Amino acid sequence: MTQKNRLQSGGRVDRSTPLTFSYNGKQYTGYKGDTVASALLANGVDIIGRSFKYSRPRGIVAAGPEEPNAVLQVGATEATQVPNVRATQQELFNGLVCESTNGWPNADFDVMSYIGKAGGSMLTPGFYYKTFMYPQSMWETYEKFIRKAAGLGRSPLENDPDFYDHLNQHADVMIVGAGPAGLAAALSAGRSGARVILADEQSEFGGSLLNSRELIEGRPATEWVASVVAELSELDNVLLLPRSTVNGYHDHNFLTIHQRLTDHVADKAPAGQARQRMHRVRAKWVVLAAGAHERPLVFGNNDVPGCMVASAVSTYINRYGVAPGQDLVVMTTNDFAYQTALDWADSGRNVVAIVDTRPNPNGDRVAAAEKRGLRVIKGAAVIEVQGSKRVSGVSIASIDAKGDKVVGSVERLSCDTVASSGGWSPVVHLSCHTGSRPEWRDDIIGFVPGKTVQKQLTAGGINGSYSLKACLEEGARQGAEAATNAGFEVAAAAVPAVAEVKEGAAMALFHIPHTKPTSRAPKQFVDFQNDVTAAGIELATREGFESIEHVKRYTAMGFGTDQGKLGNINGMAIAAKSTNRTIPETGTTVFRPNYTPITFGAIAGRHCGERFDPKRYSSMHKWHLENGCTFEDVGQWKRPWYFPKAGESMQDALNRECKATRESVGILDASTLGKIDIQGKDAREFLGRVYTNAWAKLAVGKCRYGLMCGEDGMVFDDGVTSALGENHFIMTTTTGGAARVLEWLELYHQTEWPELEVYFNTVTDQWSTMTISGPNARNLLAELTDDIDLSNDNFKFMDWKEGSVAGVPARVFRISFTGELSYEINVQANYGLYVWEKLFEKGAKYDLTPYGTETMHILRAEKGFIIAGQDTDGSVHPYDLGMGWCVSNKKPFSYIGKRGMAREDCVKPNRKQLVGLKTKDPSVVLPEGAQAVKDPNQPIPMTMLGHVTSSYWSANLNRSIAMGFVRGGLERMGESVFYPLADGRVVEAEICSPIFLDPKGERQNV
Amino acid sequence: MSEVVAPEKEAAVKVAVMNQLPGQEPRAESPLHHADLETVAKKGPKQGGVYLQELKLLGHLVLRGSVDNAEFMSGAEKVLGVALPSALQSAEAGDLSVRWISPDEWLVIVPGAKAFKLERELRDAMGGHFAIVNVSGGQTVLTLSGPNAEEVLKKTTPYDVHPSNFPVGKVITSTFSKTQAVIRRTGDESFELVIRRSFADYAWLWLQDACAEYGLVVRG
Amino acid sequence: MHYIYCPHCEEYREEEEFHAAGEAHIARPLDPEACTDAEWADFLYFRTNSRGLHHELWVHATGCRKFFNMTRDTVTYEIKEVYKVGEQPQVTADQ
């Protein structure tokens, strides 16, 4: 296809570099410098999609991020699919593949349009609620249908081959937007030496200057842009970010920038290059120079392809060398759109008429158009468009001075393009992200940024300052002020000479009247993406949705991926008028980040795959890997779970590991337990305050188990703490609780008891800890140490000794979590693997068996030892656990948890208590979480007495064992409780002591 | 190989101080031992934008004490040869370096074999309330240098590492991707990272990826 | 994303180095046993949940590990002051 709308000359495209691309399966040609939108327009593609609700054909309306219709699915392969790409922002590259996302099965012929035509009158606003919300169980079905028909795009089914990146930036001055105001601001700020970041969403800097034919210093404005960019590029303190959308403005001047590094180059990023980058910027001062978006006017059939925003038409002509039609009608409420008519005429096309809603327009541009001989129809409006797949003509009529009603007869004009302008809306979005409400200004007929607590300045179009001179002046001044405020005092850069253009006053008109009432007139669209019409908004207000937030949710106005950039102000104006309020009284909806859609890749950055979350390893990890270990995640740690041998099931492995440990000796990598070094003369006192039991008399060389509670008296961690010296202890915590416990100790030390002389330091990573457990533990250890007397008289249960193991200095703690004779060997982690391997060298003859967390859980459950976090859940105190022996109420200080445990509810009878559970059928293993009831025949809802917390098959006891909570359980030994399971079975279990094996504790004391 | 310090003025064992290093035979493995950086260094590229090296098996001592405790401050200065640096500063003396970590915490790094002797000397020279903890096995030092080293840190830490905010000698503890690190600027284009042992593999994975576009050169 | 001045490190740091630790100035009763259940519940659970100025406890978790207090506006998220534990706020709602 030829580029029938491409002009012979002009624009910033490179006609010597043609690029081919595919749209909806057809090949087209554009030029380097095109966007997909400009290339499609050049090729005469009118229909870019189908509308959301009515399935009406839609064309390109705008030229920037506010485009509501031209939302494409881009990607040549499944893996490189990107949904929700605005054709107006996607630069063309050779081989680009894209398709319409709106329109199913295709944009030109659309089955939904029949539904739209047949049921159009039934699809009133609020149809989400009225039609689809009931019955609720059907929502999933509806949602798939809506999503497909609505064209929200689809995510790829394959992994993204590209990588994305984040950069943390710090700036003195962050300037958003590189139009005339932003460039002038950057010049001032950059020259001060301040660290400046200048970001703009477009491929080149210049903003509106790229689209206009204005002169600066008597030369094309783009020459001035080039000179400014050249100067800024030379400054080390200035970072220039084109193709970078400032998408979020967060608290304390934190901004997120989405930079597209290679989206303009190819479908996939070149090898070694990040496709996109998120800059996370902390700025001392921010200058918002985000400009303004032109509003289209709301009139009958204003969505027919060929209806465009006036400035977009100028942009396609001036920047891309594309005139998207032959015969133009301009409708405007202001002077700016006259420039579009002049641009159109200068491109050699026919201007049918300029229809001005004002009775007496009088600015310089009006005079220029009239001088040029263009037909100007004053005090009139385009009330309706003819055509279905492309504009074929318009109906125009005179309107009254307020723009409320049609007063004259209707005239028809033939044309294929309608450019409308209802004035400009400052891009206030970013200024609203931090909670600031925009303020309405009658003089510019728009919202401008409101009061803010951010260190923020604004310049140019965002302030409603639309003349080039004002933009340059404000930019230079605000850039200098921002730099000065940030500590880099500087004067404003000199403003270059520009011609001054006299502007006539604009008319505040949004919704063009029709000869028929709005409800009967042809559809007048406000929000193209969500098919919200003026009639729909009026209906919503009549139905009582007066708050603009309610109107938004009822009509879905502004809900699309364009977030109502084009239509919101028109919608608010219509809602205001139909509720007899002013626009400021009606207010705006809230703008939130992100300003434009952003890829998940950019959000994730490098934090994906193996780098998604840190994995923590012990020094012996390599050995575990080499010995077939299966791992369990405990917090961020990779802990050995069990060590299956060839052909073994998990249960086989556990049975073997459990028996080997009780019959000879097993070994556990316990390095992940939290370890806290505690030094200071008040260490002992501190321990007494944070543990429930007594520490005053623990002798040096001894170890003691402790329970830690919150102020509510509920257990939150436990572990063994050992007296290394009079003023020196080492505390162990659960693996998952290490960081929390350390912070808990610091919290109390720093805020409540700073007078206690004690220091806490984490030594979790400092020590490799290996626990050998079983009747042969002493024999094995004896083979590796010659300086520790291991005799039971010298080295008792709950003692620790220092000596060497395999020639490495070690602290050996005789503590036991299995109930067997156990030694916990601690060596500096640099020697962990060495000592571990030496243990295996000597351990072969004892069948030294490595075991992991699962066997550890079984062995401790056989002994009735709790695991904090498994057998506790934040609602149980030590007495509930049957661990009153671990509570000392003789301590003089009211330790943490003491008062909490004494609360009325904590001391009442019949609390849930931890007990052992033996199933009547020993082969049945209760599921953890199973609920206990007294009477399994009680109708539902049954009275639940508690639940199973730990449950295993015990190979040593050749039966199942379990622990769980039962109301009043400690008083109910020998009674039966029942566990009705989800599969219909009811398991009966007898309440018993949780100590299933060696109740006198003889095995650990041998 | 080990001893218990019992200061003369106190009769009971107050603090257990332990020489954690064995003789020559047992094999020591640094936190990044498994990554075999020597081989990577030999086989990998020799030129690139970022240079990475593990300074392994050094002696790391954490010093805790109050700046108002004159016996602690003067004892430290006497033994270390430099005063304990003030907030966010570091100091060096010969093969010894000291980093401020928090208002009552410093990290001293010395050659591995010197840690035990240094701890004893410090304890002997100090008085009042203080603590010293040997954490030589619990962390490791990485150096990151080269023209793109600062860019890599910008990907990794939210801290402002621009020289105007982070000059040579300044040290901070901050977020390091999804873990944390003590980060010190040691030169215009060189930085030192102190990483916890259990996170060392994650840091290595992260740095390989973050450095890839600049060309990573590993030094053995 | 707050930008927080740590009074111990004496410079601004990013929010991700910190976490909030609840309302400030909730002192543990000196004699817990003398508290009624209602008083203890008040200490345990009841907080002002201010709209506007609020005094909070924060900890520089991945930095110096020190706790400190902050007066913050819960509507605008402005940080009015930071001060060390044991000190009293200068900016208060009744001013």
Side-chain angles (χ1 to χ4, degrees):
Chain A
M1 191 181 260
T2 58
Q3 299 185 42
K4 67 173 192 178
N5 289 330
R6 184 75 71 179
L7 301 171
Q8 290 301 312
S9 61
R12 299 178 66 72
V13 292
D14 175 3
R15 289 176 176 75
S16 66
T17 310
L19 304 170
T20 59
F21 68 105
S22 155
Y23 165 68
N24 283 349
K26 282 189 199 161
Q27 297 294 311
Y28 296 90
T29 304
Y31 294 131
K32 188 172 165 57
D34 263 327
T35 61
V36 172
S38 66
L40 287 171
L41 287 172
N43 283 282
V45 174
D46 292 332
I47 300 173
I48 194 80
R50 290 273 168 175
S51 77
F52 170 59
K53 209 158 79 180
Y54 305 116
S55 201
R56 290 164 68 110
R58 291 282 162 80
I60 294 165
V61 171
E66 71 275 31
E67 169 61 36
N69 294 334
V71 176
L72 302 178
Q73 181 88 13
V74 175
T77 66
E78 182 57 36
T80 53
Q81 292 295 308
V82 184
N84 283 324
V85 176
R86 284 150 308 285
T88 50
Q89 293 192 294
Q90 173 64 53
E91 292 170 61
L92 199 63
F93 57 80
N94 214 24
L96 183 144
V97 177
C98 61
E99 55 190 46
S100 300
T101 44
N102 296 47
W104 165 51
N106 67 59
D108 280 324
F109 174 78
D110 188 334
V111 291
M112 275 293 284
S113 65
Y114 293 97
I115 301 171
K117 276 174 186 157
S121 61
M122 284 149 64
L123 290 171
T124 51
F127 86 116
Y128 265 135
Y129 299 91
K130 288 171 179 166
T131 312
F132 289 119
M133 282 306 278
Y134 305 100
Q136 247 178 349
S137 60
M138 284 299 288
W139 176 247
E140 279 187 39
T141 313
Y142 291 138
E143 199 207 355
K144 282 177 200 152
F145 173 73
I146 292 172
R147 285 191 74 84
K148 186 162 187 194
L152 297 174
R154 64 182 187 85
S155 46
L157 300 170
E158 294 174 10
N159 284 347
D160 192 333
D162 289 318
F163 70 90
Y164 301 77
D165 194 33
H166 292 170
L167 262 190
N168 296 299
Q169 304 278 11
H170 297 262
D172 296 307
V173 179
M174 167 80 227
I175 299 164
V176 181
L183 286 171
L187 266 189
S188 293
R191 286 170 182 170
S192 75
R195 290 157 73 189
V196 175
I197 298 175
L198 175 62
D200 191 281
E201 65 190 354
Q202 298 207 64
S203 57
E204 338 177 41
F205 286 172
S208 61
L209 297 176
L210 300 170
N211 317 329
S212 82
R213 295 191 288 162
E214 282 180 278
L215 302 179
I216 294 179
E217 301 279 10
R219 302 160 66 86
T222 49
E223 289 185 21
W224 177 79
V225 172
S227 73
V228 172
V229 171
E231 177 177 342
L232 294 173
S233 306
E234 292 296 308
L235 297 173
D236 284 344
N237 55 316
V238 177
L239 176 63
L240 302 178
L241 297 175
R243 299 186 177 93
S244 300
T245 308
V246 181
N247 257 320
Y249 189 165
H250 305 266
D251 300 301
H252 303 182
N253 274 8
F254 183 78
L255 299 97
T256 48
I257 305 178
H258 179 213
Q259 182 181 23
R260 295 163 298 278
L261 293 162
T262 72
D263 288 51
H264 63 293
V265 176
D267 192 54
K268 186 178 168 316
Q273 283 187 42
R275 178 171 183 146
Q276 298 177 351
R277 176 168 284 159
M278 281 274 277
H279 297 265
R280 306 165 79 248
V281 183
R282 184 68 70 179
K284 290 202 174 85
W285 279 83
V286 167
V287 179
L288 295 179
H293 292 151
E294 197 173 22
R295 287 188 297 271
L297 286 161
V298 178
F299 52 99
N301 293 330
N302 58 337
D303 65 328
V304 175
C307 291
M308 299 177 74
V309 174
S311 60
V313 173
S314 286
T315 296
Y316 286 115
I317 294 170
N318 294 329
R319 180 164 177 190
Y320 300 105
V322 175
Q326 295 295 331
D327 303 300
L328 176 73
V329 169
V330 173
M331 168 164 58
T332 185
T333 61
N334 58 71
D335 283 8
F336 295 102
Y338 282 79
Q339 187 60 45
T340 299
L342 291 166
D343 291 338
W344 190 271
D346 288 348
S347 76
R349 311 282 163 124
N350 174 36
V351 175
V352 178
I354 301 167
V355 183
D356 196 322
T357 60
R358 300 170 294 180
N360 298 302
N362 58 5
D364 286 353
R365 291 193 187 90
V366 179
E370 287 181 325
K371 188 176 166 198
R372 175 80 189 245
L374 303 183
R375 182 184 175 194
V376 179
I377 305 170
K378 298 172 184 173
V382 173
I383 62 167
E384 181 181 330
V385 164
Q386 284 86 44
S388 60
K389 290 186 175 179
R390 175 80 197 204
V391 172
S392 60
V394 294
S395 300
I396 64 169
S398 294
I399 57 171
D400 70 343
K402 288 167 83 180
D404 283 345
K405 54 179 185 284
V406 172
V407 293
S409 57
V410 176
E411 179 188 355
R412 286 212 175 192
L413 298 173
S414 282
C415 64
D416 63 2
T417 307
V418 179
S420 75
S421 174
W424 296 81
S425 296
V427 180
V428 297
H429 304 65
L430 288 174
S431 71
C432 298
H433 285 177
T434 54
S436 162
R437 286 285 183 159
E439 289 169 7
W440 180 261
R441 265 176 56 191
D442 279 327
D443 61 331
I444 64 145
I445 315 171
F447 283 101
V448 294
K451 285 193 188 68
T452 181
V453 297
Q454 307 303 318
K455 290 175 176 171
Q456 167 199 306
L457 300 169
T458 52
I462 193 172
N463 289 340
S465 304
Y466 299 132
S467 78
L468 179 54
K469 184 160 187 279
C471 287
L472 293 167
E473 281 174 358
E474 284 181 23
R477 191 172 70 241
Q478 300 292 61
E481 185 172 337
T484 302
N485 290 346
F488 296 83
E489 197 166 341
V490 72
V495 173
V498 293
E500 290 197 50
V501 180
K502 186 170 136 292
E503 303 282 350
M507 177 176 176
L509 181 61
F510 308 89
H511 177 201
I512 302 298
H514 195 273
T515 52
K516 295 176 185 165
T518 303
S519 58
R520 302 225 180 113
K523 287 192 168 58
Q524 302 160 331
F525 285 93
V526 175
D527 179 325
F528 294 95
Q529 201 169 90
N530 280 330
D531 264 359
V532 180
T533 62
I537 293 169
E538 289 185 2
L539 176 65
T541 58
R542 277 204 305 280
E543 291 193 0
F545 296 92
E546 294 189 354
S547 154
I548 194 65
E549 294 286 2
H550 291 158
V551 170
K552 169 179 173 171
R553 279 152 187 81
Y554 191 62
T555 62
M557 177 180 80
F559 262 106
T561 59
D562 62 343
Q563 291 283 289
K565 290 185 181 66
L566 210 58
N568 266 12
I569 303 295
N570 285 335
M572 290 162 199
I574 292 166
K577 194 169 176 183
S578 65
T579 53
N580 290 315
R581 288 178 297 180
T582 63
I583 292 176
E585 281 165 358
T586 306
T588 63
T589 54
V590 176
F591 297 109
R592 294 189 177 85
N594 287 315
Y595 173 66
T596 48
I598 177 172
T599 60
F600 278 110
I603 292 170
R606 293 172 185 276
H607 299 281
C608 49
E610 284 295 302
R611 297 171 306 280
F612 176 67
D613 196 40
K615 294 185 179 75
R616 301 176 68 182
Y617 301 114
S618 82
S619 297
M620 287 82 91
H621 190 76
K622 184 162 154 273
W623 191 94
H624 304 327
L625 283 174
E626 289 165 357
N627 285 272
C629 178
T630 302
F631 293 93
E632 178 182 30
D633 291 339
V634 183
Q636 292 173 318
W637 287 97
K638 287 283 173 191
R639 289 200 75 178
W641 192 15
Y642 60 101
F643 290 84
K645 291 189 171 173
E648 272 186 341
S649 69
M650 178 175 177
Q651 191 62 52
D652 293 341
L654 299 178
N655 292 348
R656 176 180 50 74
E657 291 171 12
C658 285
K659 292 191 108 153
T661 303
R662 293 241 184 263
E663 288 165 10
S664 182
V665 61
I667 183 166
L668 173 78
D669 179 355
S671 306
T672 63
L673 288 181
K675 295 176 274 291
I676 300 169
D677 179 282
I678 305 173
Q679 294 181 34
K681 74 172 173 53
D682 296 319
R684 198 178 281 278
E685 169 65 20
F686 201 97
L687 289 172
R689 295 184 184 190
V690 296
Y691 275 133
T692 56
N693 49 344
W695 294 84
K697 290 178 183 158
L698 183 70
V700 174
K702 294 286 181 188
C703 315
R704 181 167 288 169
Y705 173 82
L707 277 178
M708 218 175 261
C709 290
E711 293 284 11
D712 57 1
M714 302 305 162
V715 173
F716 83 90
D717 209 273
D718 68 343
V720 171
T721 294
S722 307
L724 300 180
E726 227 5 78
N727 299 341
H728 191 185
F729 294 80
I730 186 157
M731 172 186 283
T732 62
T733 74
T734 59
T735 297
R740 186 167 39 135
V741 170
L742 180 58
E743 191 173 299
W744 178 253
L745 303 179
E746 288 288 354
L747 171 69
Y748 273 84
H749 186 223
Q750 291 181 35
T751 64
E752 292 291 347
W753 311 316
E755 71 281 4
L756 296 185
E757 291 193 348
V758 60
Y759 284 116
F760 309 98
N761 286 285
T762 177
V763 287
T764 301
D765 289 12
Q766 166 70 8
W767 301 97
S768 284
T769 304
M770 43 211 103
T771 304
I772 54 172
S773 194
N776 275 319
R778 182 181 287 124
N779 295 334
L780 171 59
L781 185 54
E783 304 219 16
L784 287 157
T785 182
D786 52 10
D787 56 0
I788 305 175
D789 176 357
L790 296 174
S791 69
N792 197 33
D793 289 339
N794 177 64
F795 193 172
K796 297 185 183 64
F797 180 55
M798 298 307 272
D799 283 356
W800 74 270
K801 300 284 178 196
E802 191 176 314
S804 65
V805 176
V808 177
R811 284 187 183 133
V812 181
F813 300 78
R814 193 176 159 190
I815 56 179
S816 179
F817 197 40
T818 62
E820 295 297 326
L821 172 67
S822 294
Y823 298 94
E824 195 184 275
I825 303 158
N826 285 264
V827 295
Q828 197 190 84
N830 290 330
Y831 300 95
L833 182 58
Y834 176 84
V835 173
W836 179 270
E837 288 175 350
K838 288 289 171 195
L839 283 163
F840 274 90
E841 274 176 31
K842 300 291 183 189
K845 63 170 149 291
Y846 306 106
D847 183 29
L848 177 63
T849 300
Y851 67 90
T853 50
E854 194 65 21
T855 287
M856 174 187 85
H857 281 200
I858 299 170
L859 296 174
R860 64 88 202 183
E862 289 172 349
K863 289 292 300 171
F865 296 143
I866 64 154
I867 289 187
Q870 175 162 348
D871 301 299
T872 69
D873 60 5
S875 74
V876 295
H877 55 55
Y879 295 101
D880 296 333
L881 295 166
M883 295 175 75
W885 54 267
C886 199
V887 177
S888 165
N889 283 325
K890 292 181 192 150
K891 293 193 278 186
F893 192 87
S894 182
Y895 61 87
I896 299 173
K898 183 180 185 187
R899 178 63 187 86
M901 270 181 248
R903 287 178 298 158
E904 182 186 354
D905 193 67
C906 292
V907 297
K908 74 177 186 189
N910 215 29
R911 280 177 67 82
K912 288 179 182 173
Q913 292 165 327
L914 190 71
V915 293
L917 297 163
K918 277 186 187 165
T919 52
K920 287 285 178 193
D921 177 349
S923 68
V924 174
V925 180
L926 280 165
E928 287 171 359
Q931 292 288 330
V933 301
K934 189 168 175 13
D935 173 10
N937 298 313
Q938 185 188 4
I940 291 171
M942 296 183 183
T943 308
M944 289 183 280
L945 302 176
H947 66 280
V948 175
T949 58
S950 294
S951 180
Y952 310 94
W953 175 259
S954 165
N956 290 306
L957 297 163
N958 196 34
R959 64 154 300 134
S960 70
I961 57 167
M963 293 156 74
F965 285 98
V966 176
R967 203 164 279 291
L970 293 172
E971 304 295 317
R972 302 171 70 164
M973 291 294 152
E975 290 182 27
S976 274
V977 281
F978 297 88
Y979 293 88
L981 304 183
D983 61 10
R985 285 182 299 153
V986 176
V987 179
E988 183 180 355
E990 180 192 323
I991 299 173
C992 61
S993 158
I995 308 173
F996 296 94
L997 187 138
D998 184 25
K1000 291 183 183 163
E1002 289 160 336
R1003 298 174 71 97
Q1004 66 197 10
N1005 280 313
V1006 293
Chain B
M1 52 151 262
S2 71
E3 65 179 67
V4 168
V5 170
E8 284 167 27
K9 39 196 165 175
E10 312 273 359
V13 176
K14 293 298 181 192
V15 175
V17 183
M18 178 177 171
N19 184 358
Q20 299 169 8
L21 300 190
Q24 287 302 306
E25 202 244 325
R27 175 186 83 237
E29 295 182 348
S30 76
L32 279 178
H33 178 82
H34 65 283
D36 193 9
L37 298 183
E38 276 81 6
T39 304
V40 177
K42 260 183 230 138
K43 294 188 177 166
K46 303 288 180 283
Q47 293 293 319
V50 191
Y51 295 78
L52 177 72
Q53 185 174 26
E54 184 187 13
L55 304 183
K56 56 193 176 188
L57 305 177
L58 295 174
H60 297 234
L61 295 180
V62 171
L63 270 53
R64 301 293 301 272
S66 167
V67 291
D68 299 327
N69 177 355
E71 287 182 273
F72 168 73
M73 296 299 284
S74 66
E77 181 166 3
K78 194 178 105 195
V79 174
L80 299 176
V82 288
L84 291 177
S86 56
L88 307 180
Q89 300 306 309
S90 65
E92 296 186 12
D95 56 10
L96 172 151
S97 53
V98 199
R99 292 143 201 81
W100 184 93
I101 300 293
S102 111
D104 58 6
E105 180 173 347
W106 290 262
L107 173 64
V108 178
I109 297 183
V110 291
K114 294 189 176 177
F116 176 58
K117 182 164 169 282
L118 182 66
E119 180 176 355
R120 281 195 312 183
E121 287 170 2
L122 284 166
R123 287 187 179 278
D124 287 345
M126 289 174 174
H129 174 42
F130 70 91
I132 302 175
V133 187
N134 184 336
V135 292
S136 309
Q139 51 196 36
T140 194
V141 177
L142 302 178
T143 62
L144 203 61
S145 59
N148 298 112
E150 192 176 306
E151 283 292 298
V152 170
L153 284 182
K154 285 171 72 175
K155 293 175 196 253
T156 308
T157 173
Y159 189 74
D160 181 4
V161 292
H162 190 271
S164 64
N165 184 66
F166 194 50
V168 174
K170 191 169 179 181
V171 61
I172 56 136
T173 309
S174 182
T175 317
F176 183 90
S177 188
K178 287 184 177 174
T179 175
Q180 65 190 82
V182 179
I183 307 171
R184 182 164 72 115
R185 190 178 207 115
T186 51
D188 289 345
E189 291 185 350
S190 57
F191 302 88
E192 169 203 84
L193 312 172
V194 183
I195 304 277
R196 276 181 76 171
R197 180 179 200 100
S198 57
F199 288 99
D201 185 79
Y202 169 77
W204 164 235
L205 261 180
W206 175 267
L207 286 170
Q208 287 175 79
D209 190 63
C211 294
E213 68 188 276
Y214 309 115
L216 172 62
V217 182
V218 173
R219 287 176 166 157
Chain C
M1 282 287 285
H2 290 10
Y3 202 39
I4 298 170
Y5 187 87
C6 172
H8 301 287
C9 291
E10 298 172 355
E11 65 176 18
Y12 282 92
R13 296 293 186 90
E14 294 294 329
E15 181 181 330
E16 59 198 88
E17 293 185 8
F18 299 85
H19 64 247
E23 185 169 343
H25 309 298
I26 307 288
R28 187 176 199 260
L30 288 175
D31 186 359
E33 267 61 50
C35 292
T36 63
D37 273 6
E39 286 165 346
W40 195 250
D42 195 50
F43 160 66
L44 271 182
Y45 300 120
F46 289 87
R47 299 295 181 263
T48 59
N49 196 24
S50 311
R51 186 178 196 276
L53 283 189
H54 191 48
H55 306 292
E56 299 169 332
L57 187 65
W58 284 70
V59 58
H60 194 180
T62 66
C64 65
R65 297 196 292 125
K66 296 296 181 207
F67 287 81
F68 59 94
N69 296 315
M70 176 191 294
T71 304
R72 195 172 67 100
D73 188 319
T74 59
V75 177
T76 64
Y77 293 177
E78 287 170 285
I79 295 171
K80 301 293 188 182
E81 62 178 336
V82 293
Y83 52 103
K84 291 179 181 171
V85 169
E87 295 174 353
Q88 290 302 308
Q90 301 299 306
V91 183
T92 54
D94 51 0
Q95 280 173 340

